[in-house]
Amino acid sequence: MSEKYQVLIIGAGPAGYVAAIRCAQLGMKTACIEKWVDNKGAVKLGGTCLNVGCIPSKALLDSSHKFVEAKHDFDIHGISVDEVKMDVAKMLARKEKIVTQLTGGIGGLFKANGVTSIVGKGKLLANKQVEVTNEAGEQTIYHADHIIIAAGSVPVAIPPAPLVDDVVVDSTGALEFTAVPKRLGVIGAGVIGLELGSVWARLGAKVTVLEALDEFLPAVDMTIAKETKKVFKKQGLDIRLGTRVTATSVTGEGDAREVTVEYSDASGTKSETFDKLIVCVGRRPLSESLLAPDCGVTLDERGFVFVNEQCETDARDVYAVGDIVRGPMLAHKGSEEGVMVAERIAGKKTQINYDNIPGVIYTHPEIAWIGKNEQELKAAGHDYKVGTFPFSASGRAMAANETTGMVKMIADATTDRILGCHIIGPSAADLVQQVVIAIEFGASSEDLALTVFSHPTLSETVHEAALAVAGHAIHIPNKPPRKK
Ligand code: FAD
Ligand code: NAD
C-alpha cells in the first residue's frame, strides 16, 4: 500500500487539474493521476482541452482566419499583398508549440502548488482506493479521504464511418491534416463540424457537412441559428440537413486515397467522394474500465457518472466533474465544477450556477449565448421582451469591417430581469461574458441600459440591445417593443 492523500483526482483535464490546484491551494495533500503520455513516456497534462481540443482548434482557427483576412479583407483597408500562401506545416508547428507550452505550464503549476503528479491509468476500487497501472503494466494502490473522478470524454464512433488512418478521422485527426484537402466531408453540423470545417474551408477546401437532423443548430436561439446558416453558406460551407450516412469506403493508395460516403436524404440515396472525412457526431463519457463493480459509483443510462448538483456520486466522499458527468461538455463548466468540489471538500458551501454557463462556437463571426433562448421561453409559456441590435449599426464594427451579425437580448416581460443573450458577430464570445456577469448579479435589461459603455467599442452593441428591449435604442430606429 502506498502513500495516503487527502484528495486523489483521476484525470488531468481542465476539470481535474483545476480541482487539483484548488485542493492544494486549500491546504490539502493532493495527487492527480493521468494516463496520457507522449512518445517518450512523459505525462501530458491538460486533457482533451489543451492537447486535442479547445486550444489546438483555436490556434488553427486563428491562423486560418488571418489567412482569409490577408487574402480577402486587407484590400478594403487599402493594403495590398502580392501573394498570400499558407504553409500548413508551419501552422501545425505553431499549434503544437502552444500546446506544449500550455501542457508544460500545468506541470509547473502542479509543482508550484504542491500537487503530486501520478502517471498511469486509474481505476476506482471500493473504500476510496485507486489502482494505478503504469505503462509497464505495474500496479500501485493509492488511497485517499476524498476522490474526484475527472476522466473526461472521447469522440463518439458510428458504425457506417469507422476511422481509417488519416482519411476518415475524428476531431483529433482533423487537427493534423498535413495538406489542405481539396474535398472535405464532415459528418455532423455541431460545434466541432463547424469550427474544424471552417478551418479547412478558409484554407481552400470545398467543405460538405452532412447533418442527420432536419434543423440547423437546434440548441441555438432560432434567430441566431438562421443568421448563422446564411453566413456559413456565404462562406462556402455546404451544409446538408436531414442526411443519414449509411456507409463509407476508402479506396486508392497513398496520397491518392479517397473516401466515398453513401447517404440518404428526403430525395433518396446518394453518394459523394471526398479526400478526407471528419466524423464529429458528439462525444461520450470515458467511464468504461474506470470503476470496479463494488466501488459504489453508479452510471446513468448514457454512461455518465451519476452525480447531484454538488457533483457528489453515490459513493460517499467520491465526486465526479467535467465531461464525465451530465451537462454541457465544456472546459469552463468542468473547471468550475472542479473548484466547487475542492471548496466543498474544504468545508465551504460553494455552489455553481448551472443556469449561467455560456456557450460559444468559435467560427467567424463567433456565435455565443447565455441563458434561455426564444424557442425555450415560448415552449415554457414564459412572457418575455426582446431587443436586438445589428453590428452594421456599430461605428466600431464598421471601422473594423466586421458588420455581420447582431446581439439579441431577452428579458422577463414583467420584472425585466435578463433571461438570455444571443450573439452572432465579432468577438461574440467576449461580448456575451458581459451579460453572463449581469445575469449572475440578477441584473435587469434596464440595469445594463443605465450602465456607461466606452465609445467606440463592440460592447456598445450589448448596451444598445439592452436599450432596445424597452424600445430606447439610440443608433437604430426602434421597432415597437416585441413582447411574448
Ligand atoms: P478531458 O479534457 O477529456 O480530460 C480527462 C483526462 O482524464 C484526460 O487527460 C484523460 O487522459 C484522463 N483519463 C481518462 N481516464 C483516465 C484514467 N482511468 N486514469 C487516468 N487518467 C485518465 N470546450 C470549451 O469549453 N471550449 C472550446 O473551445 C472547446 N473546443 C473543443 C474543441 C475540440 C476539437 C474538442 C474535441 C473539444 C472541445 N471542447 C471545448 C470541449 C473540452 O475539450 C472538454 O469539455 C474538456 O476538455 C473536458 O474536460 P475534462 O477535464 O472533463 O475531460
Ligand atoms: P455536437 O453534439 O456539438 O454535434 C454533433 C452533431 O452531429 C449534431 O448536430 C448531431 O445531430 C449530428 N449527428 C449525430 N449523429 C449523426 C449521424 N449519424 N450523422 C450525421 N449527423 C449526426 O458534437 P461535436 O461537434 O462532436 O462536439 C462534441 C462536444 O465537444 C460538444 O458537446 C461540445 O460541447 C464540445 N465542443 C465545444 C466546443 C466549443 O465550446 N466551442 C468546440 C468543440 C467541441
Side-chain angles (χ1 to χ4, degrees):
M1 181 82 73
S2 70
E3 218 172 340
K4 184 175 177 188
Y5 290 91
Q6 276 171 292
V7 188
L8 255 181
I9 296 157
I10 306 177
Y17 84 71
V18 170
I21 290 171
R22 190 67 190 118
C23 285
Q25 282 175 349
L26 288 160
M28 293 180 273
K29 185 176 172 186
T30 305
C32 189
I33 305 160
E34 173 56 57
K35 67 178 171 65
W36 202 328
V37 289
D38 65 16
N39 49 17
K40 292 185 192 118
V43 68
K44 291 191 86 183
L45 304 172
T48 304
C49 169
L50 264 55
N51 288 290
V52 292
C54 319
I55 298 301
S57 61
K58 268 77 245 177
L60 297 189
L61 278 158
D62 282 335
S63 294
S64 57
H65 180 59
K66 287 199 186 305
F67 175 77
V68 168
E69 281 194 310
K71 204 166 165 96
H72 302 293
D73 301 339
F74 279 6
D75 184 57
I76 198 168
H77 297 278
I79 305 167
S80 50
V81 184
D82 279 347
E83 197 188 357
V84 181
K85 287 196 283 189
M86 172 52 86
D87 180 339
V88 174
K90 203 165 173 179
M91 175 179 79
L92 297 185
R94 185 190 91 99
K95 174 205 70 163
E96 270 320 298
K97 197 172 163 201
I98 296 166
V99 167
T100 306
Q101 205 172 329
L102 283 171
T103 52
I106 305 299
L109 288 171
F110 274 7
K111 272 202 190 100
N113 285 284
V115 174
T116 302
S117 184
I118 297 174
V119 189
K121 186 169 179 199
K123 181 174 185 175
L124 180 68
L125 310 177
N127 303 321
K128 294 184 275 180
Q129 298 184 89
V130 178
E131 171 194 277
V132 177
T133 309
N134 69 14
E135 285 273 282
E138 296 152 357
Q139 292 183 332
T140 311
I141 308 264
Y142 294 89
H143 58 147
D145 297 328
H146 304 270
I147 287 165
I148 305 175
I149 301 168
S153 65
V154 288
V156 165
I158 50 171
L163 303 190
V164 181
D165 304 327
D166 63 342
V167 182
V168 183
V169 299
D170 58 15
S171 58
T172 301
L175 297 167
E176 297 295 337
F177 294 147
T178 51
V180 180
K182 282 201 174 65
R183 302 160 300 172
L184 174 64
V186 176
I187 306 182
V191 198
I192 293 179
L194 296 173
E195 289 187 0
L196 295 182
S198 292
V199 164
W200 298 105
R202 291 168 187 174
L203 301 181
K206 181 182 176 300
V207 177
T208 306
V209 185
L210 304 171
E211 165 61 46
L213 296 178
D214 292 326
E215 206 184 332
F216 179 61
L217 292 178
V220 172
D221 181 90
M222 56 195 188
T223 317
I224 304 298
K226 204 168 146 198
E227 180 69 13
T228 303
K229 187 142 188 268
K230 265 198 284 181
V231 169
F232 285 156
K233 195 169 173 200
K234 224 168 134 191
Q235 291 179 358
L237 286 191
D238 180 0
I239 300 169
R240 301 186 195 163
L241 301 177
T243 60
R244 204 169 66 84
V245 172
T246 49
T248 54
S249 55
V250 175
T251 51
E253 294 291 326
D255 286 348
R257 277 189 305 176
E258 52 185 27
V259 51
T260 300
V261 179
E262 286 171 38
Y263 66 94
S264 57
D265 63 16
S267 62
T269 48
K270 297 177 178 160
S271 79
E272 188 142 341
T273 301
F274 304 104
D275 301 302
K276 304 277 182 195
L277 179 67
I278 310 175
V279 183
C280 43
V281 293
R283 295 178 62 83
R284 63 175 179 82
L286 185 51
S287 50
E288 70 259 13
S289 68
L290 174 70
L291 308 168
D294 60 349
C295 72
V297 170
T298 51
L299 303 180
D300 72 12
E301 64 288 355
R302 293 185 302 153
F304 289 94
V305 171
F306 183 79
V307 288
N308 62 13
E309 285 260 301
Q310 290 75 44
C311 291
E312 293 164 335
T313 69
D314 285 340
R316 200 181 158 84
D317 298 325
V318 179
Y319 305 79
V321 294
D323 279 11
I324 201 152
V325 302
R326 81 287 173 264
M329 287 182 162
L330 297 172
H332 44 284
K333 174 260 190 189
S335 298
E336 291 309 316
E337 287 179 331
V339 170
M340 172 176 76
V341 165
E343 297 194 348
R344 293 188 79 90
I345 291 173
K348 296 177 187 280
K349 296 275 175 252
T350 312
Q351 175 64 57
I352 66 170
N353 178 1
Y354 279 104
D355 291 332
N356 205 19
I357 298 173
V360 180
I361 306 176
Y362 292 88
T363 45
H364 193 87
E366 289 177 347
I367 296 124
W369 62 92
I370 185 62
K372 299 284 180 212
N373 62 39
E374 201 169 346
Q375 60 268 33
E376 285 168 341
L377 291 167
K378 252 191 201 142
H382 193 132
D383 292 338
Y384 59 89
K385 306 178 282 185
V386 176
T388 57
F389 191 82
F391 283 93
S392 58
S394 152
R396 189 61 201 265
M398 272 185 227
N401 192 34
E402 294 278 7
T403 52
T404 301
M406 71 182 87
V407 178
K408 176 173 174 180
M409 188 79 66
I410 308 182
D412 185 276
T414 314
T415 64
D416 191 38
R417 200 176 171 132
I418 301 169
L419 300 173
C421 181
H422 309 273
I423 307 177
I424 171 168
S427 301
D430 294 295
L431 296 182
V432 90
Q433 200 58 43
Q434 305 176 7
V435 186
V436 177
I437 296 167
I439 290 177
E440 198 61 33
F441 286 88
S444 62
S445 75
E446 189 185 24
D447 289 328
L448 268 190
L450 290 170
T451 303
V452 180
F453 283 70
S454 311
H455 174 75
T457 55
L458 293 173
S459 299
E460 287 170 303
T461 58
V462 173
H463 188 215
E464 290 272 7
L467 284 160
V469 170
H472 299 162
I474 301 295
H475 293 92
I476 41 162
N478 285 284
K479 294 180 190 145
R482 188 152 77 79
K483 282 194 184 185
K484 278 279 166 166

